Amino acid sequence: MGDYAEMFSVPSPQRLAVLQRIQQRQPVATPPIQKLDELWASDVFTLDRMKAALPKDIYKSVQRTIKEGSKLDVSVANVVAQAMKEWATARGALYYSHVFYPLTNLTAEKHDGFIAPQGDGSAIAEFTGKLLVQGEPDGSSFPNGGIRSTFEARGYTAGMSPVPPI
């Protein structure tokens, strides 16, 4: 083989051909960069989006629930869940996450899909008010038993928190 300078001073014909092809390539057009204020919270079902998607009386009921910290009525939750599902699936979402806050200073989440399998082997798109307001204290109802037994649960969730769904 020759010395180091001879081996690496002249590129091989293959490498030289690749470098020439790279230099002849045309630049690829890229989309303009989104402004941060347009990108921020673009995947959040904010109160503004909720207001646009819900009937006026339902939206007012949700606002009242958030402000007072009261329980969300199931009939209202069903309308909200339907609007949320339509908004999310229109954006390409297939799954949602139920985030809850056990009394361990940590967050936890349970992931589910908008698809509900049926007994005949088919599936339907579903997201009901019951799923929207369900509580999951500590994961103890998970198939694997979660992190502790149900009787040892130390956490809770609220039906509608002031934090908008993402």
Side-chain angles (χ1 to χ4, degrees):
M1 289 195 103
D3 68 1
Y4 182 84
E6 285 179 14
M7 288 183 359
F8 295 101
S9 62
V10 177
S12 70
Q14 296 87 355
R15 180 172 171 78
L16 189 57
V18 168
L19 290 171
Q20 288 172 342
R21 279 202 323 243
I22 289 172
Q23 290 175 342
Q24 293 170 357
R25 289 174 47 182
Q26 296 299 315
V28 176
T30 57
I33 297 173
Q34 276 186 293
K35 294 180 183 176
L36 184 58
D37 60 341
E38 293 171 1
L39 184 61
W40 184 258
S42 60
D43 289 328
V44 177
F45 193 61
T46 61
L47 289 175
D48 287 340
R49 289 187 178 107
M50 204 179 288
K51 185 176 184 178
L54 296 174
K56 193 173 187 175
D57 61 325
I58 298 292
Y59 177 73
K60 284 185 177 186
S61 179
V62 169
Q63 279 191 311
R64 193 169 36 258
T65 299
I66 292 170
K67 189 179 247 183
E68 296 172 1
S70 57
K71 189 173 181 177
L72 185 65
D73 181 78
V74 176
S75 63
V76 172
N78 283 330
V79 178
V80 173
Q82 182 65 28
M84 286 174 66
K85 182 184 72 128
E86 289 173 7
W87 172 81
T89 55
R91 301 182 63 75
L94 302 173
Y95 305 95
Y96 62 94
S97 179
H98 176 175
V99 178
F100 49 99
Y101 303 91
L103 298 177
T104 57
N105 292 327
L106 301 171
T107 59
E109 49 190 80
K110 179 181 176 189
H111 297 265
D112 285 305
F114 287 115
I115 299 295
Q118 303 300 295
D120 63 359
S122 64
I124 59 170
E126 177 182 71
F127 185 63
T128 64
K130 180 181 174 191
L131 294 171
L132 179 63
V133 298
Q134 75 180 3
E136 185 66 48
D138 63 356
S140 58
S141 65
F142 288 175
N144 69 354
I147 57 176
R148 65 184 69 83
S149 300
T150 301
F151 69 88
E152 295 173 322
R154 299 181 294 146
Y156 63 91
T157 58
M160 281 298 283
S161 74
V163 179
I166 53 174

